[in-house]
Amino acid sequence: MTPERIFKIANAIALPPWILMMVFPHWSYTKLVIDSYTFPILFAVLYTIFIAMSFGKTKGNFGSLEGVGSLFRNKNALLAGWLHYLAFDLLVGMYEWRDALAINLPQYLLIPALFFTLMFGPFGFFLYLGIRLIYL
């Protein structure tokens, strides 16, 4: 399967836990899905495969922005980077969801934070922390 195909499948697979947290936050199935860590584990496995496939086959390094750009010229390394984003953004969203339930944060306040965490990672987390601070 090509990196492009895996990219499309991974993006589709990433959506269900986000939708569950946003639309059905109190459903027992949502808790089961989130507490199982199935989705981040899947992304971690895929990440490991694609990083291994690209290891030693890329030019570049983590010492400069140009070096990182060179690493991502390899499609397998680029896909691994994307899987990294999917996994870690989801883990942050899962934290937000759990914390919001624990403090009884209204869902209408959680949804924007989850959406922005899905789309813009760190900004969504920052937004969540701001909402949490104001709410408490």
Side-chain angles (χ1 to χ4, degrees):
M1 205 172 305
T2 67
E4 183 66 32
R5 182 83 172 126
I6 298 292
F7 172 82
K8 289 178 181 179
I9 291 169
N11 283 342
I13 289 171
L15 289 178
W18 289 101
I19 292 168
L20 288 171
M21 290 186 293
M22 287 184 215
V23 180
F24 304 107
H26 301 286
W27 189 25
S28 61
Y29 186 71
T30 301
K31 182 172 175 26
L32 177 70
V33 168
I34 300 306
D35 287 349
S36 73
Y37 288 92
T38 300
F39 289 85
I41 290 169
L42 174 62
F43 294 136
V45 168
L46 289 171
Y47 169 85
T48 302
I49 291 167
F50 282 92
I51 205 70
M53 289 171 59
S54 66
F55 195 79
K57 297 177 182 165
T58 60
K59 295 180 181 178
N61 55 61
F62 293 110
S64 69
L65 189 56
E66 186 175 326
V68 171
S70 292
L71 288 172
F72 288 125
R73 287 189 188 109
N74 176 293
K75 291 260 184 183
N76 289 329
L78 181 59
L79 178 58
W82 184 248
L83 293 164
H84 182 281
Y85 277 119
L86 291 177
F88 278 68
D89 287 354
L90 180 55
L91 287 166
V92 171
M94 291 163 60
Y95 162 79
E96 293 169 4
W97 175 79
R98 281 189 185 93
D99 187 65
L101 290 179
I103 65 170
N104 293 313
L105 184 76
Q107 190 66 11
Y108 71 88
L109 294 175
L110 177 61
I111 289 172
L114 287 174
F115 173 78
F116 283 110
T117 301
L118 168 62
M119 299 305 293
F120 304 107
F123 170 72
F125 180 60
F126 183 63
L127 177 64
Y128 177 75
L129 293 176
I131 291 168
R132 187 183 197 285
L133 183 66
I134 292 167
Y135 179 74
L136 291 178

